[in-house]
Amino acid sequence: MALPQAPEARTFYRSAKQRFEDASFLVEAARTTGAVYLAGYAVECILKAMILSILPERPRRDMLAEFRGSRAHNYDWLRRQYFESGGYSFPSEVSKAFAAVNT
């Protein structure tokens, strides 16, 4: 995913990238519990960036308000929001990886 145009999406994109880098660093240091946590957070952030990047400004603001509470951390809910917002289907390898992360 290229850097999104929408400023709100860029914030989540950058967070995802940083959390993934942090997770990679922890894996190298054999700190796998923290790595799994941060990698999961990276997945959450990239899903939010993908959603926000395809929405026009007004719905994007409304969606940001939806990113509150426990459902905003639910991968299935985020994936559903992405598809309902007009997102493209995931390639098969991404779908398989998503299923693994979601378990």
Side-chain angles (χ1 to χ4, degrees):
M1 176 178 182
L3 185 64
Q5 294 296 314
E8 303 89 348
R10 271 191 302 237
T11 300
F12 282 101
Y13 176 87
R14 286 187 184 117
S15 291
K17 188 171 189 238
Q18 290 169 350
R19 297 304 73 81
F20 184 77
E21 290 170 357
D22 294 343
S24 297
F25 178 79
L26 288 174
V27 164
E28 291 175 18
R31 301 294 304 258
T32 54
T33 302
V36 167
Y37 176 81
L38 288 175
Y41 187 42
V43 170
E44 176 185 329
C45 288
I46 203 68
L47 284 168
K48 289 176 179 177
M50 290 168 59
I51 294 165
L52 295 172
S53 70
I54 59 176
L55 290 172
E57 184 177 350
R58 172 75 178 165
R60 188 170 54 239
R61 286 195 314 254
D62 294 342
M63 182 58 72
L64 269 173
E66 295 290 319
F67 290 164
R68 305 269 189 272
S70 61
R71 73 177 175 180
H73 305 291
N74 181 308
Y75 297 150
D76 287 326
W77 182 80
L78 289 167
R79 182 178 58 176
R80 201 168 33 256
Q81 296 307 305
Y82 172 70
F83 292 134
E84 289 176 5
S85 297
Y88 296 107
S89 61
F90 295 159
S92 64
E93 66 272 6
V94 172
S95 290
K96 289 175 188 172
F98 186 85
V101 167
N102 201 22
T103 58

